Amino acid sequence: MALLARWKDVVKSKPDAPALILSDGLSSRSSNTNTSFRDLDRSSDALAAFLSVAGLLPFDRVGICFHPSQPAEIVSLLALLKCEAIPVPMRRPFLNEIVTDAGLRLALVPRCDNKEAASLTAFLQVLRLGPRGEVDTDDAAGLAPLPPPQPPRSSLIGAINILYTSGSTGRPKGVIGRESGFFYRIRWMHQAFPFVEGHEEVVLRRTPLTFVDSMWEIWGALLGGVP
């Protein structure tokens, strides 16, 4: 897996460098909270190990429903990559349709958003995560065996995500994103607009995970070794 191999290279080369910078506001008195590449890797390792023990399998589809400002979203993406599972960002107006169409086995949501968790538990099993991707204690203790995986309707070899359309023409449709396409897109980005060492380069995350541009914002920065 090219993305995972590149990620491990970045973690090895700059483990203590900031991978995520979370600001608490826009005022002159606002402060930043940093997460290093090593810490992000360890958090995702822990979540990946938990999911594997719970029975998550390669090519399983997992719903993700976080705000872009929550580091647990990035931890979840890395953990699912390590499990070879496929993230499916959730569009709130179409939760039931997406759960059924994608054949989700599990959903990952913020621990602080009990309303979101409650709306999803009617459809499938939910795992709540803390700000850094920590598994909720109650969820960990009561996690039932995951339901049997549903066979995908098309090949998921090389898939990195499944994004659903807005549903403006009717029922939302799932589009499979392939890792090879994203990897070449990110490699072009790094060649055309290289990050310059020593210039404190950063990338602003602005696009929700339900839109394809979020992929280069997230992976373009992480695999380029900048926050």
Side-chain angles (χ1 to χ4, degrees), residues 20-23 66-74 131-132 205:
L20 301 175
I21 299 176
L22 183 64
S23 176
F66 294 92
H67 188 275
S69 65
Q70 295 170 320
E73 181 181 77
I74 309 299
R132 303 293 172 180
R205 170 73 190 287

PDB file of all heavy atoms in Angstrom, residues 20-23 66-74 131-132 205:
ATOM      1  N   LEU A  20      -0.434  17.577  13.257  1.00  0.00           N
ATOM      2  CA  LEU A  20      -1.700  18.297  13.332  1.00  0.00           C
ATOM      3  C   LEU A  20      -1.519  19.509  14.238  1.00  0.00           C
ATOM      4  O   LEU A  20      -0.883  19.413  15.288  1.00  0.00           O
ATOM      5  CB  LEU A  20      -2.812  17.411  13.901  1.00  0.00           C
ATOM      6  CG  LEU A  20      -3.159  16.116  13.157  1.00  0.00           C
ATOM      7  CD1 LEU A  20      -4.201  15.335  13.944  1.00  0.00           C
ATOM      8  CD2 LEU A  20      -3.647  16.409  11.755  1.00  0.00           C
ATOM      9  N   ILE A  21      -2.072  20.630  13.832  1.00  0.00           N
ATOM     10  CA  ILE A  21      -2.092  21.831  14.662  1.00  0.00           C
ATOM     11  C   ILE A  21      -3.543  22.252  14.800  1.00  0.00           C
ATOM     12  O   ILE A  21      -4.198  22.572  13.805  1.00  0.00           O
ATOM     13  CB  ILE A  21      -1.270  22.971  14.049  1.00  0.00           C
ATOM     14  CG1 ILE A  21       0.196  22.554  13.897  1.00  0.00           C
ATOM     15  CG2 ILE A  21      -1.375  24.228  14.917  1.00  0.00           C
ATOM     16  CD1 ILE A  21       1.053  23.602  13.203  1.00  0.00           C
ATOM     17  N   LEU A  22      -4.042  22.238  16.017  1.00  0.00           N
ATOM     18  CA  LEU A  22      -5.431  22.608  16.282  1.00  0.00           C
ATOM     19  C   LEU A  22      -5.445  23.913  17.054  1.00  0.00           C
ATOM     20  O   LEU A  22      -4.911  24.002  18.156  1.00  0.00           O
ATOM     21  CB  LEU A  22      -6.136  21.510  17.084  1.00  0.00           C
ATOM     22  CG  LEU A  22      -7.611  21.731  17.384  1.00  0.00           C
ATOM     23  CD1 LEU A  22      -8.417  21.756  16.087  1.00  0.00           C
ATOM     24  CD2 LEU A  22      -8.142  20.641  18.320  1.00  0.00           C
ATOM     25  N   SER A  23      -6.044  24.944  16.467  1.00  0.00           N
ATOM     26  CA  SER A  23      -6.136  26.249  17.111  1.00  0.00           C
ATOM     27  C   SER A  23      -7.466  26.383  17.832  1.00  0.00           C
ATOM     28  O   SER A  23      -8.499  25.889  17.360  1.00  0.00           O
ATOM     29  CB  SER A  23      -5.995  27.361  16.069  1.00  0.00           C
ATOM     30  OG  SER A  23      -6.177  28.627  16.671  1.00  0.00           O
ATOM     31  N   PHE A  66     -17.263  12.771  11.520  1.00  0.00           N
ATOM     32  CA  PHE A  66     -16.579  13.705  12.402  1.00  0.00           C
ATOM     33  C   PHE A  66     -16.588  15.094  11.777  1.00  0.00           C
ATOM     34  O   PHE A  66     -16.721  15.249  10.559  1.00  0.00           O
ATOM     35  CB  PHE A  66     -15.116  13.296  12.628  1.00  0.00           C
ATOM     36  CG  PHE A  66     -14.938  12.004  13.378  1.00  0.00           C
ATOM     37  CD1 PHE A  66     -14.821  10.805  12.683  1.00  0.00           C
ATOM     38  CD2 PHE A  66     -14.887  11.986  14.756  1.00  0.00           C
ATOM     39  CE1 PHE A  66     -14.652   9.609  13.362  1.00  0.00           C
ATOM     40  CE2 PHE A  66     -14.722  10.794  15.445  1.00  0.00           C
ATOM     41  CZ  PHE A  66     -14.604   9.602  14.748  1.00  0.00           C
ATOM     42  N   HIS A  67     -16.392  16.101  12.624  1.00  0.00           N
ATOM     43  CA  HIS A  67     -16.157  17.450  12.119  1.00  0.00           C
ATOM     44  C   HIS A  67     -14.694  17.538  11.696  1.00  0.00           C
ATOM     45  O   HIS A  67     -13.819  16.922  12.330  1.00  0.00           O
ATOM     46  CB  HIS A  67     -16.466  18.484  13.211  1.00  0.00           C
ATOM     47  CG  HIS A  67     -16.437  19.889  12.704  1.00  0.00           C
ATOM     48  ND1 HIS A  67     -15.277  20.623  12.621  1.00  0.00           N
ATOM     49  CD2 HIS A  67     -17.437  20.692  12.237  1.00  0.00           C
ATOM     50  CE1 HIS A  67     -15.554  21.823  12.135  1.00  0.00           C
ATOM     51  NE2 HIS A  67     -16.849  21.897  11.889  1.00  0.00           N
ATOM     52  N   PRO A  68     -14.373  18.283  10.617  1.00  0.00           N
ATOM     53  CA  PRO A  68     -12.975  18.384  10.169  1.00  0.00           C
ATOM     54  C   PRO A  68     -11.995  18.872  11.222  1.00  0.00           C
ATOM     55  O   PRO A  68     -10.792  18.626  11.113  1.00  0.00           O
ATOM     56  CB  PRO A  68     -13.059  19.376   8.996  1.00  0.00           C
ATOM     57  CG  PRO A  68     -14.435  19.222   8.475  1.00  0.00           C
ATOM     58  CD  PRO A  68     -15.298  18.953   9.688  1.00  0.00           C
ATOM     59  N   SER A  69     -12.484  19.556  12.269  1.00  0.00           N
ATOM     60  CA  SER A  69     -11.591  20.073  13.303  1.00  0.00           C
ATOM     61  C   SER A  69     -11.229  19.024  14.356  1.00  0.00           C
ATOM     62  O   SER A  69     -10.426  19.307  15.251  1.00  0.00           O
ATOM     63  CB  SER A  69     -12.238  21.274  14.006  1.00  0.00           C
ATOM     64  OG  SER A  69     -13.402  20.877  14.722  1.00  0.00           O
ATOM     65  N   GLN A  70     -11.793  17.821  14.251  1.00  0.00           N
ATOM     66  CA  GLN A  70     -11.559  16.795  15.271  1.00  0.00           C
ATOM     67  C   GLN A  70     -10.437  15.840  14.836  1.00  0.00           C
ATOM     68  O   GLN A  70     -10.573  15.130  13.830  1.00  0.00           O
ATOM     69  CB  GLN A  70     -12.853  16.014  15.518  1.00  0.00           C
ATOM     70  CG  GLN A  70     -13.950  16.882  16.122  1.00  0.00           C
ATOM     71  CD  GLN A  70     -15.305  16.199  16.146  1.00  0.00           C
ATOM     72  OE1 GLN A  70     -15.678  15.509  15.212  1.00  0.00           O
ATOM     73  NE2 GLN A  70     -16.043  16.399  17.230  1.00  0.00           N
ATOM     74  N   PRO A  71      -9.317  15.821  15.581  1.00  0.00           N
ATOM     75  CA  PRO A  71      -8.200  14.940  15.215  1.00  0.00           C
ATOM     76  C   PRO A  71      -8.593  13.472  15.109  1.00  0.00           C
ATOM     77  O   PRO A  71      -7.945  12.709  14.381  1.00  0.00           O
ATOM     78  CB  PRO A  71      -7.197  15.169  16.354  1.00  0.00           C
ATOM     79  CG  PRO A  71      -7.533  16.516  16.893  1.00  0.00           C
ATOM     80  CD  PRO A  71      -9.018  16.653  16.761  1.00  0.00           C
ATOM     81  N   ALA A  72      -9.644  13.062  15.827  1.00  0.00           N
ATOM     82  CA  ALA A  72     -10.064  11.664  15.761  1.00  0.00           C
ATOM     83  C   ALA A  72     -10.413  11.237  14.348  1.00  0.00           C
ATOM     84  O   ALA A  72     -10.315  10.054  14.009  1.00  0.00           O
ATOM     85  CB  ALA A  72     -11.265  11.434  16.678  1.00  0.00           C
ATOM     86  N   GLU A  73     -10.807  12.183  13.507  1.00  0.00           N
ATOM     87  CA  GLU A  73     -11.097  11.854  12.113  1.00  0.00           C
ATOM     88  C   GLU A  73      -9.836  11.362  11.399  1.00  0.00           C
ATOM     89  O   GLU A  73      -9.859  10.351  10.682  1.00  0.00           O
ATOM     90  CB  GLU A  73     -11.664  13.069  11.383  1.00  0.00           C
ATOM     91  CG  GLU A  73     -12.018  12.788   9.928  1.00  0.00           C
ATOM     92  CD  GLU A  73     -12.563  14.023   9.234  1.00  0.00           C
ATOM     93  OE1 GLU A  73     -11.765  14.920   8.875  1.00  0.00           O
ATOM     94  OE2 GLU A  73     -13.789  14.085   9.047  1.00  0.00           O
ATOM     95  N   ILE A  74      -8.711  12.051  11.607  1.00  0.00           N
ATOM     96  CA  ILE A  74      -7.459  11.658  10.968  1.00  0.00           C
ATOM     97  C   ILE A  74      -6.958  10.339  11.549  1.00  0.00           C
ATOM     98  O   ILE A  74      -6.457   9.476  10.821  1.00  0.00           O
ATOM     99  CB  ILE A  74      -6.387  12.755  11.140  1.00  0.00           C
ATOM    100  CG1 ILE A  74      -6.936  14.115  10.708  1.00  0.00           C
ATOM    101  CG2 ILE A  74      -5.138  12.408  10.364  1.00  0.00           C
ATOM    102  CD1 ILE A  74      -7.361  14.186   9.270  1.00  0.00           C
ATOM    103  N   PRO A 131     -11.244  12.716  21.611  1.00  0.00           N
ATOM    104  CA  PRO A 131     -10.624  13.716  20.733  1.00  0.00           C
ATOM    105  C   PRO A 131      -9.410  13.205  19.978  1.00  0.00           C
ATOM    106  O   PRO A 131      -9.145  13.633  18.854  1.00  0.00           O
ATOM    107  CB  PRO A 131     -10.243  14.842  21.702  1.00  0.00           C
ATOM    108  CG  PRO A 131     -11.169  14.677  22.858  1.00  0.00           C
ATOM    109  CD  PRO A 131     -11.403  13.202  22.989  1.00  0.00           C
ATOM    110  N   ARG A 132      -8.639  12.292  20.583  1.00  0.00           N
ATOM    111  CA  ARG A 132      -7.431  11.768  19.940  1.00  0.00           C
ATOM    112  C   ARG A 132      -7.627  10.352  19.412  1.00  0.00           C
ATOM    113  O   ARG A 132      -6.662   9.625  19.177  1.00  0.00           O
ATOM    114  CB  ARG A 132      -6.267  11.784  20.948  1.00  0.00           C
ATOM    115  CG  ARG A 132      -5.977  13.158  21.530  1.00  0.00           C
ATOM    116  CD  ARG A 132      -5.449  14.110  20.482  1.00  0.00           C
ATOM    117  NE  ARG A 132      -5.341  15.483  20.971  1.00  0.00           N
ATOM    118  CZ  ARG A 132      -4.908  16.497  20.241  1.00  0.00           C
ATOM    119  NH1 ARG A 132      -4.548  16.292  19.001  1.00  0.00           N
ATOM    120  NH2 ARG A 132      -4.866  17.717  20.754  1.00  0.00           N
ATOM    121  N   ARG A 205      -6.844  22.794   6.637  1.00  0.00           N
ATOM    122  CA  ARG A 205      -7.925  21.840   6.356  1.00  0.00           C
ATOM    123  C   ARG A 205      -9.244  22.603   6.357  1.00  0.00           C
ATOM    124  O   ARG A 205      -9.639  23.193   7.347  1.00  0.00           O
ATOM    125  CB  ARG A 205      -7.934  20.745   7.426  1.00  0.00           C
ATOM    126  CG  ARG A 205      -9.153  19.836   7.369  1.00  0.00           C
ATOM    127  CD  ARG A 205      -9.099  18.877   6.200  1.00  0.00           C
ATOM    128  NE  ARG A 205     -10.366  18.185   6.028  1.00  0.00           N
ATOM    129  CZ  ARG A 205     -10.825  17.219   6.821  1.00  0.00           C
ATOM    130  NH1 ARG A 205     -10.114  16.817   7.883  1.00  0.00           N
ATOM    131  NH2 ARG A 205     -11.976  16.632   6.557  1.00  0.00           N
TER     132      ARG A 205
END
